[in-house]
PDB file of all heavy atoms in Angstrom:
ATOM      1  N   VAL A   1     -18.407   9.343   3.281  1.00 97.00           N
ATOM      2  CA  VAL A   1     -18.319   9.295   4.738  1.00 97.00           C
ATOM      3  C   VAL A   1     -17.521   8.059   5.135  1.00 97.00           C
ATOM      4  O   VAL A   1     -17.846   6.940   4.736  1.00 97.00           O
ATOM      5  CB  VAL A   1     -19.724   9.250   5.375  1.00 97.00           C
ATOM      6  CG1 VAL A   1     -19.628   9.148   6.887  1.00 97.00           C
ATOM      7  CG2 VAL A   1     -20.532  10.471   4.966  1.00 97.00           C
ATOM      8  N   LEU A   2     -16.443   8.295   5.902  1.00 97.00           N
ATOM      9  CA  LEU A   2     -15.571   7.212   6.348  1.00 97.00           C
ATOM     10  C   LEU A   2     -15.771   6.966   7.837  1.00 97.00           C
ATOM     11  O   LEU A   2     -15.782   7.906   8.629  1.00 97.00           O
ATOM     12  CB  LEU A   2     -14.106   7.559   6.073  1.00 97.00           C
ATOM     13  CG  LEU A   2     -13.746   7.818   4.613  1.00 97.00           C
ATOM     14  CD1 LEU A   2     -12.276   8.191   4.493  1.00 97.00           C
ATOM     15  CD2 LEU A   2     -14.073   6.610   3.758  1.00 97.00           C
ATOM     16  N   ASP A   3     -15.903   5.708   8.197  1.00 95.00           N
ATOM     17  CA  ASP A   3     -16.060   5.318   9.596  1.00 95.00           C
ATOM     18  C   ASP A   3     -14.673   4.976  10.147  1.00 95.00           C
ATOM     19  O   ASP A   3     -14.288   3.816  10.232  1.00 95.00           O
ATOM     20  CB  ASP A   3     -17.001   4.125   9.698  1.00 95.00           C
ATOM     21  CG  ASP A   3     -17.273   3.710  11.134  1.00 95.00           C
ATOM     22  OD1 ASP A   3     -17.082   4.542  12.041  1.00 95.00           O
ATOM     23  OD2 ASP A   3     -17.663   2.548  11.344  1.00 95.00           O
ATOM     24  N   ASP A   4     -13.911   6.002  10.470  1.00 96.00           N
ATOM     25  CA  ASP A   4     -12.534   5.858  10.933  1.00 96.00           C
ATOM     26  C   ASP A   4     -12.276   6.988  11.930  1.00 96.00           C
ATOM     27  O   ASP A   4     -12.365   8.162  11.572  1.00 96.00           O
ATOM     28  CB  ASP A   4     -11.589   5.960   9.734  1.00 96.00           C
ATOM     29  CG  ASP A   4     -10.117   5.857  10.073  1.00 96.00           C
ATOM     30  OD1 ASP A   4      -9.742   6.014  11.262  1.00 96.00           O
ATOM     31  OD2 ASP A   4      -9.317   5.641   9.142  1.00 96.00           O
ATOM     32  N   PRO A   5     -11.952   6.665  13.194  1.00 96.00           N
ATOM     33  CA  PRO A   5     -11.726   7.717  14.191  1.00 96.00           C
ATOM     34  C   PRO A   5     -10.505   8.586  13.898  1.00 96.00           C
ATOM     35  O   PRO A   5     -10.347   9.643  14.496  1.00 96.00           O
ATOM     36  CB  PRO A   5     -11.550   6.948  15.501  1.00 96.00           C
ATOM     37  CG  PRO A   5     -11.146   5.577  15.099  1.00 96.00           C
ATOM     38  CD  PRO A   5     -11.787   5.331  13.762  1.00 96.00           C
ATOM     39  N   HIS A   6      -9.651   8.181  12.968  1.00 97.00           N
ATOM     40  CA  HIS A   6      -8.462   8.943  12.597  1.00 97.00           C
ATOM     41  C   HIS A   6      -8.731   9.915  11.437  1.00 97.00           C
ATOM     42  O   HIS A   6      -7.820  10.580  10.964  1.00 97.00           O
ATOM     43  CB  HIS A   6      -7.313   8.006  12.244  1.00 97.00           C
ATOM     44  CG  HIS A   6      -6.941   7.111  13.376  1.00 97.00           C
ATOM     45  ND1 HIS A   6      -6.119   7.509  14.394  1.00 97.00           N
ATOM     46  CD2 HIS A   6      -7.320   5.849  13.669  1.00 97.00           C
ATOM     47  CE1 HIS A   6      -5.978   6.534  15.265  1.00 97.00           C
ATOM     48  NE2 HIS A   6      -6.713   5.513  14.847  1.00 97.00           N
ATOM     49  N   VAL A   7      -9.977   9.966  10.985  1.00 97.00           N
ATOM     50  CA  VAL A   7     -10.386  10.851   9.900  1.00 97.00           C
ATOM     51  C   VAL A   7     -11.085  12.060  10.512  1.00 97.00           C
ATOM     52  O   VAL A   7     -11.936  11.926  11.394  1.00 97.00           O
ATOM     53  CB  VAL A   7     -11.326  10.113   8.917  1.00 97.00           C
ATOM     54  CG1 VAL A   7     -11.916  11.055   7.894  1.00 97.00           C
ATOM     55  CG2 VAL A   7     -10.588   8.985   8.228  1.00 97.00           C
ATOM     56  N   ALA A   8     -10.740  13.255  10.024  1.00 97.00           N
ATOM     57  CA  ALA A   8     -11.368  14.490  10.479  1.00 97.00           C
ATOM     58  C   ALA A   8     -12.782  14.594   9.896  1.00 97.00           C
ATOM     59  O   ALA A   8     -13.086  13.965   8.881  1.00 97.00           O
ATOM     60  CB  ALA A   8     -10.535  15.689  10.054  1.00 97.00           C
ATOM     61  N   PRO A   9     -13.641  15.415  10.504  1.00 97.00           N
ATOM     62  CA  PRO A   9     -14.989  15.574   9.955  1.00 97.00           C
ATOM     63  C   PRO A   9     -14.990  15.986   8.477  1.00 97.00           C
ATOM     64  O   PRO A   9     -15.769  15.460   7.690  1.00 97.00           O
ATOM     65  CB  PRO A   9     -15.595  16.669  10.836  1.00 97.00           C
ATOM     66  CG  PRO A   9     -14.882  16.528  12.140  1.00 97.00           C
ATOM     67  CD  PRO A   9     -13.476  16.141  11.767  1.00 97.00           C
ATOM     68  N   HIS A  10     -14.140  16.910   8.082  1.00 97.00           N
ATOM     69  CA  HIS A  10     -13.985  17.315   6.675  1.00 97.00           C
ATOM     70  C   HIS A  10     -12.498  17.186   6.352  1.00 97.00           C
ATOM     71  O   HIS A  10     -11.764  18.157   6.362  1.00 97.00           O
ATOM     72  CB  HIS A  10     -14.481  18.750   6.452  1.00 97.00           C
ATOM     73  CG  HIS A  10     -15.923  18.896   6.753  1.00 97.00           C
ATOM     74  ND1 HIS A  10     -16.383  19.520   7.880  1.00 97.00           N
ATOM     75  CD2 HIS A  10     -17.023  18.465   6.087  1.00 97.00           C
ATOM     76  CE1 HIS A  10     -17.706  19.475   7.894  1.00 97.00           C
ATOM     77  NE2 HIS A  10     -18.121  18.841   6.819  1.00 97.00           N
ATOM     78  N   HIS A  11     -12.067  15.973   6.078  1.00 98.00           N
ATOM     79  CA  HIS A  11     -10.649  15.647   5.972  1.00 98.00           C
ATOM     80  C   HIS A  11     -10.009  16.194   4.701  1.00 98.00           C
ATOM     81  O   HIS A  11      -8.940  16.783   4.745  1.00 98.00           O
ATOM     82  CB  HIS A  11     -10.468  14.127   6.038  1.00 98.00           C
ATOM     83  CG  HIS A  11      -9.124  13.698   6.478  1.00 98.00           C
ATOM     84  ND1 HIS A  11      -8.856  13.286   7.769  1.00 98.00           N
ATOM     85  CD2 HIS A  11      -7.954  13.612   5.827  1.00 98.00           C
ATOM     86  CE1 HIS A  11      -7.582  12.976   7.879  1.00 98.00           C
ATOM     87  NE2 HIS A  11      -7.014  13.156   6.704  1.00 98.00           N
ATOM     88  N   VAL A  12     -10.660  15.972   3.564  1.00 98.00           N
ATOM     89  CA  VAL A  12     -10.068  16.376   2.283  1.00 98.00           C
ATOM     90  C   VAL A  12     -11.171  16.700   1.273  1.00 98.00           C
ATOM     91  O   VAL A  12     -12.246  16.114   1.301  1.00 98.00           O
ATOM     92  CB  VAL A  12      -9.118  15.276   1.748  1.00 98.00           C
ATOM     93  CG1 VAL A  12      -9.843  14.001   1.440  1.00 98.00           C
ATOM     94  CG2 VAL A  12      -8.329  15.742   0.544  1.00 98.00           C
ATOM     95  N   SER A  13     -10.866  17.648   0.396  1.00 98.00           N
ATOM     96  CA  SER A  13     -11.755  18.003  -0.705  1.00 98.00           C
ATOM     97  C   SER A  13     -10.991  17.753  -2.003  1.00 98.00           C
ATOM     98  O   SER A  13      -9.807  18.090  -2.104  1.00 98.00           O
ATOM     99  CB  SER A  13     -12.152  19.472  -0.583  1.00 98.00           C
ATOM    100  OG  SER A  13     -12.980  19.840  -1.645  1.00 98.00           O
ATOM    101  N   VAL A  14     -11.667  17.166  -2.983  1.00 97.00           N
ATOM    102  CA  VAL A  14     -11.015  16.787  -4.240  1.00 97.00           C
ATOM    103  C   VAL A  14     -11.784  17.383  -5.412  1.00 97.00           C
ATOM    104  O   VAL A  14     -13.006  17.278  -5.489  1.00 97.00           O
ATOM    105  CB  VAL A  14     -10.972  15.245  -4.396  1.00 97.00           C
ATOM    106  CG1 VAL A  14     -10.240  14.853  -5.664  1.00 97.00           C
ATOM    107  CG2 VAL A  14     -10.369  14.579  -3.182  1.00 97.00           C
ATOM    108  N   GLY A  15     -11.053  18.001  -6.323  1.00 95.00           N
ATOM    109  CA  GLY A  15     -11.604  18.495  -7.579  1.00 95.00           C
ATOM    110  C   GLY A  15     -10.740  17.961  -8.714  1.00 95.00           C
ATOM    111  O   GLY A  15      -9.704  17.349  -8.459  1.00 95.00           O
ATOM    112  N   ALA A  16     -11.132  18.183  -9.951  1.00 92.00           N
ATOM    113  CA  ALA A  16     -10.334  17.668 -11.068  1.00 92.00           C
ATOM    114  C   ALA A  16     -10.519  18.515 -12.312  1.00 92.00           C
ATOM    115  O   ALA A  16     -11.561  19.129 -12.517  1.00 92.00           O
ATOM    116  CB  ALA A  16     -10.716  16.230 -11.380  1.00 92.00           C
ATOM    117  N   ASP A  17      -9.463  18.527 -13.142  1.00 87.00           N
ATOM    118  CA  ASP A  17      -9.528  19.044 -14.503  1.00 87.00           C
ATOM    119  C   ASP A  17      -8.326  18.499 -15.272  1.00 87.00           C
ATOM    120  O   ASP A  17      -7.285  18.234 -14.717  1.00 87.00           O
ATOM    121  CB  ASP A  17      -9.595  20.572 -14.554  1.00 87.00           C
ATOM    122  CG  ASP A  17      -8.368  21.272 -14.008  1.00 87.00           C
ATOM    123  OD1 ASP A  17      -7.339  20.628 -13.793  1.00 87.00           O
ATOM    124  OD2 ASP A  17      -8.434  22.488 -13.798  1.00 87.00           O
ATOM    125  N   ASP A  18      -8.516  18.276 -16.545  1.00 82.00           N
ATOM    126  CA  ASP A  18      -7.457  17.771 -17.434  1.00 82.00           C
ATOM    127  C   ASP A  18      -6.770  16.515 -16.902  1.00 82.00           C
ATOM    128  O   ASP A  18      -5.566  16.343 -17.047  1.00 82.00           O
ATOM    129  CB  ASP A  18      -6.416  18.859 -17.702  1.00 82.00           C
ATOM    130  CG  ASP A  18      -6.995  20.059 -18.432  1.00 82.00           C
ATOM    131  OD1 ASP A  18      -7.929  19.849 -19.238  1.00 82.00           O
ATOM    132  OD2 ASP A  18      -6.539  21.181 -18.186  1.00 82.00           O
ATOM    133  N   GLY A  19      -7.531  15.625 -16.259  1.00 80.00           N
ATOM    134  CA  GLY A  19      -6.965  14.365 -15.783  1.00 80.00           C
ATOM    135  C   GLY A  19      -6.107  14.474 -14.534  1.00 80.00           C
ATOM    136  O   GLY A  19      -5.462  13.513 -14.143  1.00 80.00           O
ATOM    137  N   ARG A  20      -6.082  15.634 -13.918  1.00 89.00           N
ATOM    138  CA  ARG A  20      -5.310  15.844 -12.684  1.00 89.00           C
ATOM    139  C   ARG A  20      -6.270  16.129 -11.540  1.00 89.00           C
ATOM    140  O   ARG A  20      -7.284  16.799 -11.724  1.00 89.00           O
ATOM    141  CB  ARG A  20      -4.338  17.007 -12.839  1.00 89.00           C
ATOM    142  CG  ARG A  20      -3.409  16.928 -14.025  1.00 89.00           C
ATOM    143  CD  ARG A  20      -2.321  15.938 -13.902  1.00 89.00           C
ATOM    144  NE  ARG A  20      -1.439  16.300 -12.797  1.00 89.00           N
ATOM    145  CZ  ARG A  20      -0.416  15.578 -12.431  1.00 89.00           C
ATOM    146  NH1 ARG A  20      -0.136  14.460 -13.064  1.00 89.00           N
ATOM    147  NH2 ARG A  20       0.340  15.927 -11.426  1.00 89.00           N
ATOM    148  N   LEU A  21      -5.936  15.642 -10.367  1.00 94.00           N
ATOM    149  CA  LEU A  21      -6.768  15.859  -9.188  1.00 94.00           C
ATOM    150  C   LEU A  21      -6.205  17.000  -8.361  1.00 94.00           C
ATOM    151  O   LEU A  21      -4.999  17.066  -8.124  1.00 94.00           O
ATOM    152  CB  LEU A  21      -6.816  14.586  -8.347  1.00 94.00           C
ATOM    153  CG  LEU A  21      -7.422  13.367  -9.041  1.00 94.00           C
ATOM    154  CD1 LEU A  21      -7.251  12.132  -8.173  1.00 94.00           C
ATOM    155  CD2 LEU A  21      -8.879  13.610  -9.349  1.00 94.00           C
ATOM    156  N   HIS A  22      -7.065  17.883  -7.926  1.00 96.00           N
ATOM    157  CA  HIS A  22      -6.689  18.997  -7.056  1.00 96.00           C
ATOM    158  C   HIS A  22      -7.176  18.645  -5.652  1.00 96.00           C
ATOM    159  O   HIS A  22      -8.380  18.534  -5.422  1.00 96.00           O
ATOM    160  CB  HIS A  22      -7.319  20.299  -7.542  1.00 96.00           C
ATOM    161  CG  HIS A  22      -6.884  20.662  -8.912  1.00 96.00           C
ATOM    162  ND1 HIS A  22      -5.746  21.389  -9.149  1.00 96.00           N
ATOM    163  CD2 HIS A  22      -7.402  20.348 -10.126  1.00 96.00           C
ATOM    164  CE1 HIS A  22      -5.595  21.539 -10.458  1.00 96.00           C
ATOM    165  NE2 HIS A  22      -6.587  20.901 -11.067  1.00 96.00           N
ATOM    166  N   VAL A  23      -6.234  18.482  -4.748  1.00 97.00           N
ATOM    167  CA  VAL A  23      -6.519  18.022  -3.395  1.00 97.00           C
ATOM    168  C   VAL A  23      -6.313  19.168  -2.421  1.00 97.00           C
ATOM    169  O   VAL A  23      -5.275  19.839  -2.464  1.00 97.00           O
ATOM    170  CB  VAL A  23      -5.577  16.850  -3.031  1.00 97.00           C
ATOM    171  CG1 VAL A  23      -5.826  16.372  -1.620  1.00 97.00           C
ATOM    172  CG2 VAL A  23      -5.723  15.723  -4.026  1.00 97.00           C
ATOM    173  N   MET A  24      -7.301  19.386  -1.539  1.00 97.00           N
ATOM    174  CA  MET A  24      -7.181  20.382  -0.482  1.00 97.00           C
ATOM    175  C   MET A  24      -7.435  19.687   0.848  1.00 97.00           C
ATOM    176  O   MET A  24      -8.539  19.163   1.074  1.00 97.00           O
ATOM    177  CB  MET A  24      -8.180  21.513  -0.699  1.00 97.00           C
ATOM    178  CG  MET A  24      -7.837  22.369  -1.914  1.00 97.00           C
ATOM    179  SD  MET A  24      -9.244  23.283  -2.540  1.00 97.00           S
ATOM    180  CE  MET A  24     -10.129  22.010  -3.422  1.00 97.00           C
ATOM    181  N   VAL A  25      -6.416  19.643   1.700  1.00 98.00           N
ATOM    182  CA  VAL A  25      -6.512  18.962   2.981  1.00 98.00           C
ATOM    183  C   VAL A  25      -7.182  19.901   3.980  1.00 98.00           C
ATOM    184  O   VAL A  25      -6.796  21.058   4.115  1.00 98.00           O
ATOM    185  CB  VAL A  25      -5.120  18.532   3.482  1.00 98.00           C
ATOM    186  CG1 VAL A  25      -5.226  17.771   4.792  1.00 98.00           C
ATOM    187  CG2 VAL A  25      -4.408  17.684   2.427  1.00 98.00           C
ATOM    188  N   GLY A  26      -8.175  19.386   4.675  1.00 96.00           N
ATOM    189  CA  GLY A  26      -8.905  20.170   5.666  1.00 96.00           C
ATOM    190  C   GLY A  26      -8.173  20.224   7.002  1.00 96.00           C
ATOM    191  O   GLY A  26      -6.984  19.906   7.091  1.00 96.00           O
ATOM    192  N   GLU A  27      -8.909  20.618   8.033  1.00 95.00           N
ATOM    193  CA  GLU A  27      -8.346  20.690   9.380  1.00 95.00           C
ATOM    194  C   GLU A  27      -8.266  19.283   9.953  1.00 95.00           C
ATOM    195  O   GLU A  27      -9.259  18.738  10.414  1.00 95.00           O
ATOM    196  CB  GLU A  27      -9.202  21.582  10.266  1.00 95.00           C
ATOM    197  CG  GLU A  27      -9.139  23.034   9.866  1.00 95.00           C
ATOM    198  CD  GLU A  27      -9.899  23.909  10.837  1.00 95.00           C
ATOM    199  OE1 GLU A  27      -9.965  23.589  12.030  1.00 95.00           O
ATOM    200  OE2 GLU A  27     -10.427  24.921  10.375  1.00 95.00           O
ATOM    201  N   THR A  28      -7.085  18.713   9.892  1.00 95.00           N
ATOM    202  CA  THR A  28      -6.869  17.351  10.360  1.00 95.00           C
ATOM    203  C   THR A  28      -5.531  17.238  11.066  1.00 95.00           C
ATOM    204  O   THR A  28      -4.568  17.889  10.671  1.00 95.00           O
ATOM    205  CB  THR A  28      -6.940  16.348   9.190  1.00 95.00           C
ATOM    206  OG1 THR A  28      -6.506  15.064   9.648  1.00 95.00           O
ATOM    207  CG2 THR A  28      -6.069  16.757   8.028  1.00 95.00           C
ATOM    208  N   VAL A  29      -5.486  16.405  12.065  1.00 95.00           N
ATOM    209  CA  VAL A  29      -4.239  16.152  12.788  1.00 95.00           C
ATOM    210  C   VAL A  29      -3.321  15.266  11.953  1.00 95.00           C
ATOM    211  O   VAL A  29      -2.108  15.451  11.926  1.00 95.00           O
ATOM    212  CB  VAL A  29      -4.536  15.469  14.150  1.00 95.00           C
ATOM    213  CG1 VAL A  29      -3.260  15.021  14.839  1.00 95.00           C
ATOM    214  CG2 VAL A  29      -5.349  16.386  15.034  1.00 95.00           C
ATOM    215  N   ASN A  30      -3.898  14.318  11.211  1.00 93.00           N
ATOM    216  CA  ASN A  30      -3.117  13.298  10.506  1.00 93.00           C
ATOM    217  C   ASN A  30      -2.707  13.668   9.090  1.00 93.00           C
ATOM    218  O   ASN A  30      -1.906  12.976   8.483  1.00 93.00           O
ATOM    219  CB  ASN A  30      -3.905  11.983  10.482  1.00 93.00           C
ATOM    220  CG  ASN A  30      -4.156  11.469  11.870  1.00 93.00           C
ATOM    221  OD1 ASN A  30      -3.259  11.428  12.694  1.00 93.00           O
ATOM    222  ND2 ASN A  30      -5.393  11.107  12.157  1.00 93.00           N
ATOM    223  N   GLY A  31      -3.273  14.713   8.512  1.00 96.00           N
ATOM    224  CA  GLY A  31      -2.938  15.065   7.140  1.00 96.00           C
ATOM    225  C   GLY A  31      -3.438  14.013   6.161  1.00 96.00           C
ATOM    226  O   GLY A  31      -4.295  13.196   6.484  1.00 96.00           O
ATOM    227  N   LEU A  32      -2.892  14.026   4.970  1.00 97.00           N
ATOM    228  CA  LEU A  32      -3.250  13.086   3.913  1.00 97.00           C
ATOM    229  C   LEU A  32      -1.972  12.494   3.348  1.00 97.00           C
ATOM    230  O   LEU A  32      -1.085  13.222   2.916  1.00 97.00           O
ATOM    231  CB  LEU A  32      -4.028  13.806   2.794  1.00 97.00           C
ATOM    232  CG  LEU A  32      -4.399  12.973   1.579  1.00 97.00           C
ATOM    233  CD1 LEU A  32      -5.464  11.946   1.947  1.00 97.00           C
ATOM    234  CD2 LEU A  32      -4.881  13.864   0.452  1.00 97.00           C
ATOM    235  N   ARG A  33      -1.863  11.181   3.359  1.00 96.00           N
ATOM    236  CA  ARG A  33      -0.686  10.525   2.801  1.00 96.00           C
ATOM    237  C   ARG A  33      -0.989  10.102   1.382  1.00 96.00           C
ATOM    238  O   ARG A  33      -1.919   9.352   1.126  1.00 96.00           O
ATOM    239  CB  ARG A  33      -0.283   9.319   3.643  1.00 96.00           C
ATOM    240  CG  ARG A  33       0.994   8.688   3.130  1.00 96.00           C
ATOM    241  CD  ARG A  33       1.698   7.841   4.142  1.00 96.00           C
ATOM    242  NE  ARG A  33       2.102   8.520   5.341  1.00 96.00           N
ATOM    243  CZ  ARG A  33       3.180   9.294   5.480  1.00 96.00           C
ATOM    244  NH1 ARG A  33       3.947   9.525   4.437  1.00 96.00           N
ATOM    245  NH2 ARG A  33       3.481   9.842   6.634  1.00 96.00           N
ATOM    246  N   CYS A  34      -0.197  10.625   0.437  1.00 94.00           N
ATOM    247  CA  CYS A  34      -0.302  10.303  -0.990  1.00 94.00           C
ATOM    248  C   CYS A  34       0.992   9.598  -1.366  1.00 94.00           C
ATOM    249  O   CYS A  34       2.023  10.260  -1.515  1.00 94.00           O
ATOM    250  CB  CYS A  34      -0.481  11.568  -1.823  1.00 94.00           C
ATOM    251  SG  CYS A  34      -1.921  12.534  -1.414  1.00 94.00           S
ATOM    252  N   GLY A  35       0.936   8.282  -1.516  1.00 87.00           N
ATOM    253  CA  GLY A  35       2.171   7.531  -1.743  1.00 87.00           C
ATOM    254  C   GLY A  35       3.070   7.688  -0.536  1.00 87.00           C
ATOM    255  O   GLY A  35       2.669   7.414   0.582  1.00 87.00           O
ATOM    256  N   ARG A  36       4.278   8.197  -0.743  1.00 89.00           N
ATOM    257  CA  ARG A  36       5.211   8.417   0.368  1.00 89.00           C
ATOM    258  C   ARG A  36       5.188   9.852   0.898  1.00 89.00           C
ATOM    259  O   ARG A  36       5.876  10.188   1.830  1.00 89.00           O
ATOM    260  CB  ARG A  36       6.626   8.067  -0.067  1.00 89.00           C
ATOM    261  CG  ARG A  36       6.789   6.602  -0.349  1.00 89.00           C
ATOM    262  CD  ARG A  36       8.209   6.301  -0.791  1.00 89.00           C
ATOM    263  NE  ARG A  36       8.322   4.885  -1.038  1.00 89.00           N
ATOM    264  CZ  ARG A  36       9.159   4.110  -0.397  1.00 89.00           C
ATOM    265  NH1 ARG A  36       9.954   4.600   0.507  1.00 89.00           N
ATOM    266  NH2 ARG A  36       9.208   2.825  -0.670  1.00 89.00           N
ATOM    267  N   GLU A  37       4.377  10.695   0.268  1.00 94.00           N
ATOM    268  CA  GLU A  37       4.328  12.105   0.640  1.00 94.00           C
ATOM    269  C   GLU A  37       3.181  12.359   1.624  1.00 94.00           C
ATOM    270  O   GLU A  37       2.070  11.863   1.451  1.00 94.00           O
ATOM    271  CB  GLU A  37       4.120  12.954  -0.613  1.00 94.00           C
ATOM    272  CG  GLU A  37       4.148  14.424  -0.376  1.00 94.00           C
ATOM    273  CD  GLU A  37       3.965  15.220  -1.654  1.00 94.00           C
ATOM    274  OE1 GLU A  37       3.945  14.625  -2.749  1.00 94.00           O
ATOM    275  OE2 GLU A  37       3.836  16.444  -1.547  1.00 94.00           O
ATOM    276  N   LEU A  38       3.471  13.155   2.657  1.00 96.00           N
ATOM    277  CA  LEU A  38       2.448  13.543   3.621  1.00 96.00           C
ATOM    278  C   LEU A  38       2.064  14.994   3.380  1.00 96.00           C
ATOM    279  O   LEU A  38       2.912  15.884   3.435  1.00 96.00           O
ATOM    280  CB  LEU A  38       2.954  13.370   5.056  1.00 96.00           C
ATOM    281  CG  LEU A  38       1.970  13.798   6.144  1.00 96.00           C
ATOM    282  CD1 LEU A  38       0.726  12.916   6.122  1.00 96.00           C
ATOM    283  CD2 LEU A  38       2.633  13.750   7.500  1.00 96.00           C
ATOM    284  N   LEU A  39       0.791  15.228   3.081  1.00 97.00           N
ATOM    285  CA  LEU A  39       0.272  16.578   2.913  1.00 97.00           C
ATOM    286  C   LEU A  39      -0.341  17.003   4.247  1.00 97.00           C
ATOM    287  O   LEU A  39      -1.296  16.391   4.710  1.00 97.00           O
ATOM    288  CB  LEU A  39      -0.789  16.625   1.816  1.00 97.00           C
ATOM    289  CG  LEU A  39      -0.354  16.164   0.427  1.00 97.00           C
ATOM    290  CD1 LEU A  39      -1.541  16.172  -0.520  1.00 97.00           C
ATOM    291  CD2 LEU A  39       0.760  17.039  -0.094  1.00 97.00           C
ATOM    292  N   PRO A  40       0.202  18.040   4.888  1.00 97.00           N
ATOM    293  CA  PRO A  40      -0.313  18.447   6.193  1.00 97.00           C
ATOM    294  C   PRO A  40      -1.637  19.206   6.092  1.00 97.00           C
ATOM    295  O   PRO A  40      -2.054  19.624   5.008  1.00 97.00           O
ATOM    296  CB  PRO A  40       0.795  19.348   6.739  1.00 97.00           C
ATOM    297  CG  PRO A  40       1.464  19.894   5.530  1.00 97.00           C
ATOM    298  CD  PRO A  40       1.346  18.830   4.473  1.00 97.00           C
TER     299      PRO A  40
END
C-alpha cells in the first residue's frame, strides 16, 4: 500500500518466473514508468 495521491487503488500487479518479472498495469491515469519507458 502506497500513500501517494498519484497512485491508483490497484496500480500494478507483479508476478515472476525464471528471474523475469511480469508486470500488468491496472486502471491508472499515470501508468507505470520503468526506466525511460512508460507502460500505459
Side-chain angles (χ1 to χ4, degrees):
V1 178
L2 301 178
D3 183 21
D4 179 343
H6 300 278
V7 172
H10 298 106
H11 203 100
V12 64
S13 179
V14 183
D17 64 13
D18 297 328
R20 306 287 297 178
L21 298 173
H22 299 273
V23 179
M24 291 159 282
V25 182
E27 291 185 31
T28 170
V29 172
N30 298 313
L32 176 70
R33 184 160 300 280
C34 301
R36 294 179 179 240
E37 184 179 353
L38 178 64
L39 302 176

